[in-house]
Amino acid sequence: MGDGSDPDVQLEARLVEQDSFEPPESFVEQANVSDDSIYEEFEENWPQSWERAAELLDWESEWDEVLDEEDAPFYEWFVNGELNAAYNCVDRHVEEGRKNQAAIKWEGELGETRTYTYQDLYREVNEFAAALRGLGVEEDDVVTMHMPMIPELPIAMLACARIGAPHSVVFAGFSADALATRMNSADSEYLVTCDGYYRRGDALNHLEKANEGLAGVEHEVEDVVVVDRLGEELPHELDDNQHDYDELMSGHEGDRVEPVTRDAEDMLFLMYTSGTTGEPKGAKHTTGGYLSYVAWTAQSVLDVKPEDTYWCAADIGWITGHSYIVYGPLALGTTTMMYEGTPDYPEKDRLWEIVEKNAVDIFYTAPTAIRAFMKWGEDWPASRDLSSLRLLGTVGEPINPRAWKWYYKHIGDESCPVVDTWWQTETGGMMVTTLPGVNEMKPGSAGPALPGIDAKVIHPDKEEVEPGQAGHLTIQKPWPGMLRTVYNNDERFISEYWEEYSEPDEDEWIYFPEDGAKIDDDGFITVLGRIDDVLNVSGHRLGTMEIESAVVGVEGVAEAAVVGGDHEVKGEAVYVYAITEEGTEGGEELRERVVEGVEDAIGPIARPEKIVFTPELPKTRSGKIMRRLLEEIANGEELGDTSTLRNPDVVDDIQQKVQSD
Ligand code: WTA
């Protein structure tokens, strides 16, 4: 099936040439937001205009003030407001008479399905909240979750929210070390995990890895809850402080837990993400501002309505899943889909089969997935009925116009708007994107900043760039979904995000997301990618420093540099250049150990595409590794200026090695 050899032949000339697209009339007519006065409305009445987002939620007590800038950039939103996130995502929909509506529809990789109505979700969340309390979890205790895409993950998150215990979800694909680092950093004494899960039909042992991670936790871990996902397939034994999820739950059958009243600024969760240094940083998100923000953006950008079947095909272990599988859609009372497995198992139409079977209305994924679909060919989606789709979205990395158009045509049948949404772990929710019922779309360009978001593309001198010129993307006013700090590290919060462009003496605060961008004269922003040492591999954010420290941790490696090389499907791929120690041979055996070292420290997502052993790395006279050059070599590009190198001779040698492999 499918001639995947040349995606261009799958797009006719008409589409290849067209560079802007109007949203279909039929979409606009029914859109949640279709009036362009929304931009003005937000601007004229800022920050009061943000009440619009907060009003999507039920508050126990209303805020006194929308925004407190007193202690900027430690902003506070919806000051003194009180609410509970689980109440907003579950209880109120039950109370509104929609208890029998599906809240979560889940499909396992082997094809089994589970549906949780809002009533079911209410019951499960209450019982697990009672179970956590029973174990001794108190308000403000951080509960870590190391879990794949199984329904118990959102249930556990909401149970935590119910009792006011912030969660810290660690992506299931992360290694034992990565789990330990995050539990240590958050001082987290509780873990929820599972025995295993399916990947490409194989039962993966996850508990073994979680246990290895637990061994690396420096403080005492009170309790571990283990979901039995695989049953007979993976018999497992539990330690004394480990509890089987089902057994625990049966001890709390029928229990109800009052949702704890949380201040708007109380932490809802922590999400660790990669930055410039080796240590991952915990982005702290709050109950009131974050939940308002994701509800508002899910409504205005993803056009989510309660009666929809909505599917964000991301993993809950990343921010996209937190905001747009769990909190945004459930706050709006819609049906959110979850799929456990890979998109090409058992066949390459698996996702389209799920869309067809569930009559999915809205589909949100990453460009790396779209590039894989293109490669597999248009026949796969064509063999399924995708006519239920109304809106498509992408997130995580820049999307090239060709992939955008392929998505628009072969998945959306030219009748669904595509929203290309730029945002980050730190921003909590979408920041730059078109409003699908308002703006025209320009493939490759994310769109204007959302209403109320003050995005500017600037030069290092802080002047705005001319249209079409590249500069740095900045956000010049706060927004409710923003991270409040780096957990336990206010200094790093300032130095990572604010120091570059702010003028503290003048109380002028500018947020710098570390992305390069261009802006057109109509305000459309094209995001060019990270300008720091962060890679975007298959839409997964990885720090080069984290990978480098894993590589130099391998016996026999003296020094290493990691850069991103262009990759057709992954967007970027990990290239490792390593200097071996005297007496160590840079051969196959060492290469395998480097791969192992990286997988142990981070996980298979960081697996190097290429490893080059070299006697020297290109360095400037001041001794800095010239990464730009290594990147050019990885990409087979013409090399820029090498005159500042202390050791220009090594360049040829490295180039030859990369090419000959
Ligand atoms: C990149 C994911 C271009 C960007 C939600 C950002 C994008 C980083 C887009 C954040 C987009 C995300 N176009 N680039 N539509 N969306 N990015 O924290 O470099 O995992 O800084 O959050 O992904 O990655 P993170």
Side-chain angles (χ1 to χ4, degrees):
M1 268 187 125
D3 171 15
S5 55
D6 182 5
D8 262 347
V9 300
Q10 301 174 4
L11 283 178
E12 59 250 59
R14 170 181 61 88
L15 270 181
V16 172
E17 273 167 29
Q18 192 173 341
D19 53 18
S20 74
F21 296 77
E22 288 295 332
E25 201 49 48
S26 55
F27 181 88
V28 175
E29 275 165 15
Q30 60 77 59
N32 285 336
V33 178
S34 57
D35 192 336
D36 68 358
S37 63
I38 184 99
Y39 289 96
E40 239 174 69
E41 226 176 90
F42 261 89
E43 188 157 335
E44 281 172 5
N45 199 20
W46 196 96
Q48 262 60 38
S49 40
W50 281 112
E51 292 190 331
R52 189 185 178 115
E55 281 161 5
L56 293 172
L57 306 179
D58 281 2
W59 296 73
E60 286 167 46
S61 46
E62 214 169 287
W63 52 93
D64 306 332
E65 201 185 349
V66 170
L67 171 65
D68 180 353
E69 305 189 70
E70 184 72 27
D71 195 18
F74 299 94
Y75 297 96
E76 294 188 6
W77 284 89
F78 310 119
V79 183
N80 294 328
E82 291 178 325
L83 76 166
N84 181 283
Y87 175 84
N88 273 281
C89 291
V90 186
D91 302 39
R92 62 173 180 153
H93 307 311
V94 173
E95 288 167 14
E96 280 163 15
R98 294 193 290 112
K99 64 176 195 251
N100 293 327
Q101 188 194 319
I104 297 175
K105 278 180 121 182
W106 175 82
E107 184 159 326
E109 203 187 57
L110 301 188
E112 69 270 53
T113 57
R114 278 195 241 166
T115 298
Y116 292 80
T117 63
Y118 273 98
Q119 180 65 35
D120 295 333
L121 190 59
Y122 175 78
R123 193 188 54 242
E124 298 274 330
V125 168
N126 269 282
E127 290 175 358
F128 197 56
L132 288 174
R133 273 235 178 112
L135 293 175
V137 178
E138 291 178 8
E139 194 173 347
D140 294 322
D141 285 348
V142 175
V143 177
T144 301
M145 285 152 210
H146 191 36
M147 283 164 107
M149 289 289 284
I150 54 177
E152 288 82 357
L153 174 54
I155 288 167
M157 291 161 73
L158 292 164
C160 281
R162 194 166 194 88
I163 60 173
H167 52 74
S168 166
V169 180
V170 179
F171 174 57
F174 272 137
S175 67
D177 277 3
L179 172 64
T181 309
R182 286 159 180 75
M183 284 188 78
N184 284 330
S185 161
D187 236 334
S188 175
E189 296 174 343
Y190 299 92
L191 175 69
V192 186
T193 185
C194 70
D195 58 344
Y197 55 104
Y198 290 105
R199 260 304 167 277
R200 289 185 193 285
D202 293 333
L204 264 181
N205 188 334
H206 185 68
L207 186 59
E208 199 173 62
K209 183 167 81 174
N211 278 333
E212 233 178 86
L214 285 166
V217 177
E218 287 152 8
H219 52 271
E220 193 173 337
V221 174
E222 297 286 341
D223 295 280
V224 179
V225 180
V226 183
V227 177
D228 188 352
R229 161 73 187 107
L230 295 177
E232 293 295 298
E233 184 96 51
L234 193 84
H236 54 274
E237 278 175 23
L238 300 180
D239 293 344
D240 288 347
N241 71 338
Q242 301 190 322
H243 316 272
D244 177 75
Y245 179 89
D246 292 325
E247 273 174 36
L248 200 60
M249 288 290 267
S250 63
H252 290 277
E253 218 176 301
D255 283 7
R256 296 292 175 261
V257 174
E258 267 301 293
V260 166
T261 302
R262 298 286 278 171
D263 186 274
E265 281 297 308
D266 280 343
M267 172 159 57
L268 178 61
F269 67 86
L270 264 179
M271 174 100 240
Y272 280 90
T273 188
S274 298
T276 314
T277 66
E279 278 284 292
K281 48 195 177 185
K284 174 184 161 183
H285 283 292
T286 59
T287 311
Y290 169 84
L291 197 63
S292 302
Y293 196 72
V294 295
W296 160 244
T297 45
Q299 188 187 61
S300 60
V301 180
L302 295 172
D303 200 47
V304 168
K305 303 189 172 78
E307 59 274 21
D308 285 330
T309 299
Y310 158 86
W311 187 15
C312 166
D315 192 294
I316 295 177
W318 306 98
I319 193 71
T320 304
H322 276 56
S323 301
Y324 299 112
I325 297 177
V326 182
Y327 286 112
L330 293 178
L332 296 177
T334 196
T335 301
T336 185
M337 294 278 322
M338 278 179 77
Y339 169 54
E340 176 186 42
T342 44
D344 54 349
Y345 186 86
E347 289 293 353
K348 295 187 172 66
D349 61 348
R350 182 63 186 272
L351 301 190
W352 317 128
E353 183 194 345
I354 296 175
V355 170
E356 179 180 79
K357 211 165 63 186
N358 297 280
V360 170
D361 298 276
I362 301 163
F363 181 72
Y364 189 33
T365 190
T368 184
I370 297 168
R371 290 191 297 265
F373 306 150
M374 284 171 74
K375 238 179 117 184
W376 299 338
E378 70 198 64
D379 291 349
W380 293 104
S383 70
R384 296 284 175 179
D385 178 5
L386 306 182
S387 60
S388 59
L389 290 169
R390 177 173 93 242
L391 176 76
L392 300 174
T394 83
V395 57
E397 43 177 329
I399 181 162
N400 48 313
R402 203 172 67 176
W404 192 104
K405 290 175 183 178
W406 190 95
Y407 193 38
Y408 180 69
K409 178 171 170 65
H410 294 294
I411 307 302
D413 194 28
E414 301 187 47
S415 62
C416 303
V418 175
V419 286
D420 170 2
T421 61
W422 175 86
W423 58 290
Q424 309 179 295
T425 303
E426 294 87 340
T427 68
M430 302 159 176
M431 300 289 281
V432 176
T433 170
T434 51
L435 285 170
V438 174
N439 308 105
E440 65 165 11
M441 301 163 273
K442 297 201 282 184
S445 170
L450 278 174
I453 300 298
D454 185 11
K456 290 194 169 69
V457 180
I458 62 176
H459 292 298
D461 63 7
K462 290 204 275 193
E463 287 298 307
E464 287 189 58
V465 297
E466 293 293 312
Q469 300 293 307
H472 288 173
L473 180 58
T474 58
I475 312 293
Q476 310 219 346
K477 277 197 194 110
W479 64 101
M482 66 198 300
L483 81 164
R484 296 302 192 265
T485 191
V486 171
Y487 191 58
N488 280 340
N489 202 340
D490 289 348
E491 257 166 56
R492 192 158 174 209
F493 174 62
I494 303 278
S495 66
E496 293 253 357
Y497 305 107
W498 304 94
E499 213 154 58
E500 188 96 12
Y501 286 116
S502 304
E503 300 284 351
D505 296 343
E506 287 158 41
D507 208 20
E508 182 194 47
W509 295 97
I510 296 178
Y511 174 85
F512 181 38
E514 304 268 353
D515 271 311
K518 289 193 300 198
I519 189 160
D520 288 347
D521 38 21
D522 56 5
F524 268 56
I525 294 170
T526 300
V527 179
L528 300 169
R530 304 283 304 197
I531 54 110
D532 60 358
D533 300 323
V534 169
L535 303 185
N536 198 328
V537 179
S538 299
H540 296 149
R541 184 166 157 183
L542 300 171
T544 48
M545 299 302 275
E546 289 167 66
I547 307 175
E548 273 170 27
S549 76
V551 176
V552 295
V554 173
E555 209 182 294
V557 175
E559 205 180 341
V562 167
V563 301
D566 296 341
H567 189 280
E568 195 194 342
V569 173
K570 296 179 185 171
E572 270 184 304
V574 175
Y575 276 68
V576 174
Y577 300 89
I579 302 180
T580 50
E581 274 169 2
E582 285 266 335
T584 303
E585 201 202 327
E588 239 358 87
E589 193 266 338
L590 184 59
R591 194 164 275 138
E592 272 166 30
R593 284 196 291 116
V594 168
V595 170
E596 216 174 283
V598 172
E599 293 198 346
D600 282 351
I602 302 165
I605 46 169
R607 193 188 171 92
E609 184 78 12
K610 195 160 261 190
I611 301 167
V612 177
F613 296 113
T614 166
E616 269 185 83
L617 287 164
K619 288 191 178 158
T620 61
R621 289 203 177 82
S622 59
K624 275 186 129 175
I625 299 173
M626 216 161 159
R627 286 162 208 281
R628 170 184 60 76
L629 204 64
L630 292 171
E631 235 169 69
E632 287 163 352
I633 295 174
N635 292 332
E637 288 165 4
E638 204 166 308
L639 302 188
D641 185 14
T642 54
S643 63
T644 55
L645 284 184
R646 187 170 66 187
N647 50 356
D649 307 345
V650 302
V651 175
D652 263 359
D653 180 53
I654 296 179
Q655 223 172 359
Q656 269 170 22
K657 281 191 176 137
V658 171
Q659 282 161 2
S660 68
D661 266 353

